[in-house]
Amino acid sequence: MTDIPLVLGPQEIEALPMIIQGGIVPNLATKGEDGKDSADMQSVRCNILLAQEAGRNLLRELLIFIAAWDLPEEELYFKLMIQIMEAILANGLMPFAYQAFGEVKDIVSPAQSMVIKILTQIFRTKQGLVSVPSRETVPSSTQRRDPPTRVDLLIIRYIFTVFRQCIIPETCALIYLQGQIRAGAALPEDFPLNLWDMERVYEGVYQFLEFFAVLTESEDWKQLLVGWEIVSELVTLLRELDASIPKSPLGPIPSAAAATEALGSASSAMQEPQTTNEPSPSASAPAPVAVERPYDSLPPNDDPTATAISTNMNQPPLAALAYPSEPVSPSPSQAIDSQDPSEFEWRNLKKLVVLVLSSLVWKAPKVQDQIRSYGGVEMILACCNFDANNPYIREHAIMCLRFLLENNTSNQAIVESLKPRGAATANEGADEENVGEA
């Protein structure tokens, strides 16, 4: 059974999660004493499934199957896995399942990343945040369909504990070592992970941040995260990324004259007939080698969240943002085997951290003070520069800075005390005007 996900495709394997779903997911159609007995038996089966090593291995392979085939949330297979994980969550077994799916060599294993991804979808559905129009002058609010349960609170506390005690320290240690290698204080051979391991760590950290981003859309969970001071971990991660991962500059743009000249030469070459019988180099050149990559590639500036930024102070900053479901992979022209893992770029990670901070600090004076106490104001200001590895991060940082300075004289004093270090460009001058308006 464990080898089945290795040989079947998404359409062929759907029967397997259906069997598991029928065994452990409560049937809502049954009522009365029979329905209670059926729910109890399904709870027993759920415990037996996770108690046996074969059952845990089967669930692990089914979760990895989602990442291997990059299945969207609309797929039937993905929906079946959500129902299975909901049953595990309802029985209070999610912390045990997350720990059982771990691997010694990984900070976050692929199966654990999929657990967090499915939990993100579960809580997005459980929160059921719907816009409630108001006839008064008060902005439209959001209401929760289902109140939070004790099981929800326990799993969120567990995930946050893992994030604080394991994910952030080990990830920041890797990023710090990358900075030491770039500075010449360490050798690339000292880096402990290969590129595939770095991709798995990146995927896991990204899913954790997306999970917390969804939680911040609910006022109940947001206040819980604020009380736990999640700002400390976010600012620490942002500081390490800013100190150790260099900002990627914008690539050179060809001039209009050069483009016109190239177009003219190309058109003249098409009009002249070829009089030589020599074979073209492309005909004799070997076909390019296909390189397997874990994710589909996107252009550097293809940012699905860029068009969703709202500067309206009366709306939550993340309510209308659609987070990218998958991280952006390296360029297809660059073979993954030739890349140095110590030069991993952590694309879009810094921008996602800024987005979570923006949602936390929106109309939250306590979070404003927390960010200042951990040195986060300077970190947000440092993100107000162009970075090709984090498209549109400057716009996101300006929005976060606006929320951070709103009606907070202490944070405003930090910005006012900064000394200019050189002549500002036109774009930087516009940024300063936006900060001043805040």
Side-chain angles (χ1 to χ4, degrees):
M1 293 288 287
T2 307
D3 296 334
I4 290 179
L6 304 178
V7 297
L8 297 182
Q11 303 297 329
E12 302 167 331
I13 201 177
E14 288 178 354
L16 183 56
M18 283 182 182
I19 296 174
I20 300 177
Q21 181 243 16
I24 68 174
V25 176
N27 186 2
L28 299 180
T30 57
K31 298 180 181 180
E33 294 295 331
D34 295 339
K36 183 179 182 301
D37 295 340
S38 176
D40 292 341
M41 285 302 303
Q42 286 161 336
S43 178
V44 170
R45 295 191 197 104
C46 184
N47 282 268
I48 294 175
L49 178 66
L50 288 174
Q52 296 180 348
E53 182 179 1
R56 296 193 299 270
N57 292 337
L58 178 59
L59 283 178
R60 180 188 295 110
E61 295 300 328
L62 291 176
L63 289 169
I64 296 176
F65 187 87
I66 298 176
W69 287 86
D70 194 17
L71 297 180
E73 298 174 358
E74 296 77 15
E75 284 284 338
L76 176 61
Y77 181 91
F78 194 95
K79 294 179 180 179
L80 292 173
M81 291 304 300
I82 288 179
Q83 295 181 11
I84 293 173
M85 300 308 291
E86 282 180 337
I88 295 176
L89 176 63
N91 286 278
L93 299 174
M94 189 62 74
F96 174 77
Y98 179 88
Q99 186 177 5
F101 296 151
E103 298 179 12
V104 178
K105 65 175 183 178
D106 291 329
I107 299 176
V108 186
S109 69
Q112 289 175 329
S113 297
M114 290 302 102
V115 169
I116 302 299
K117 182 176 182 178
I118 292 177
L119 279 176
T120 301
Q121 184 64 25
I122 290 175
F123 274 89
R124 182 182 286 117
T125 305
K126 288 172 72 71
Q127 289 174 186
L129 293 177
V130 292
S131 179
V132 180
S134 177
R135 297 181 181 179
E136 303 175 357
T137 58
V138 181
S140 59
S141 59
T142 55
Q143 292 183 352
R144 180 191 296 274
R145 293 175 184 171
D146 298 325
T149 63
R150 182 175 180 272
V151 173
D152 296 340
L153 178 61
L154 292 177
I155 187 58
I156 290 178
R157 186 175 64 179
Y158 176 80
I159 295 300
F160 175 78
T161 302
V162 172
F163 183 71
R164 167 169 283 179
Q165 297 182 356
C166 177
I167 305 300
I168 289 298
E170 297 190 27
T171 303
C172 289
L174 288 176
I175 298 174
Y176 176 78
L177 182 57
Q178 286 183 268
Q180 293 298 303
I181 293 175
R182 285 189 171 92
L187 298 176
E189 293 78 11
D190 298 333
F191 202 74
L193 303 181
N194 58 34
L195 194 59
W196 294 109
D197 295 333
M198 291 295 291
E199 289 284 354
R200 290 196 291 269
V201 175
Y202 171 61
E203 170 71 13
V205 177
Y206 204 96
Q207 294 299 336
F208 268 88
L209 291 175
E210 280 199 329
F211 176 71
F212 292 125
V214 170
L215 293 183
T216 57
E217 296 178 6
S218 168
E219 192 63 28
D220 296 334
W221 300 129
K222 177 180 175 180
Q223 294 302 321
L224 191 65
L225 296 177
V226 171
W228 291 340
E229 295 192 9
I230 192 176
V231 170
S232 171
E233 282 68 36
L234 297 177
V235 173
T236 300
L237 180 58
L238 196 61
R239 181 180 293 108
E240 289 297 335
L241 288 170
D242 184 74
S244 302
I245 308 300
K247 297 180 176 65
S248 180
L250 181 65
I253 301 177
S255 61
T260 305
E261 182 180 356
L263 182 61
S265 60
S267 59
S268 60
M270 293 177 62
Q271 294 175 359
E272 294 179 0
Q274 295 183 356
T275 57
T276 177
N277 294 327
E278 297 180 358
S280 61
S282 60
S284 59
V289 180
V291 179
E292 181 182 0
R293 297 184 304 276
Y295 312 108
D296 293 332
S297 300
L298 294 176
N301 293 330
D302 187 8
D303 181 23
T305 67
T307 58
I309 300 178
S310 173
T311 57
N312 187 357
M313 295 293 293
N314 293 327
Q315 295 294 334
L318 298 184
L321 290 179
Y323 295 99
S325 59
E326 300 294 340
V328 182
S329 67
S331 171
S333 61
Q334 189 175 11
I336 199 168
D337 293 335
S338 64
Q339 299 180 31
D340 190 349
S342 63
E343 298 179 357
F344 194 78
E345 297 174 339
W346 303 93
R347 292 183 60 88
N348 290 315
L349 194 65
K350 187 189 296 185
K351 179 178 63 178
L352 184 54
V353 175
V354 174
L355 286 173
V356 178
L357 286 173
S358 298
S359 183
L360 287 170
V361 78
W362 180 70
K363 296 187 181 301
K366 184 177 180 179
V367 182
Q368 291 177 334
D369 298 335
Q370 288 180 354
I371 293 179
R372 182 182 68 253
S373 64
Y374 290 112
V377 178
E378 295 82 358
M379 292 297 100
I380 299 299
L381 286 170
C383 294
C384 294
N385 294 321
F386 178 83
D387 185 4
N389 292 330
N390 295 271
Y392 301 100
I393 188 174
R394 181 171 62 180
E395 289 76 8
H396 293 304
I398 291 174
M399 179 180 67
C400 181
L401 196 61
R402 184 177 183 181
F403 300 146
L404 190 60
L405 302 182
E406 183 183 13
N407 300 325
N408 193 300
T409 56
S410 299
N411 291 346
Q412 294 172 8
I414 294 178
V415 178
E416 292 174 355
S417 64
L418 298 178
K419 302 294 183 181
R421 293 184 298 180
T425 61
N427 292 333
E428 291 173 351
D431 295 342
E432 292 178 359
E433 293 179 0
N434 292 332
V435 173
E437 292 177 358

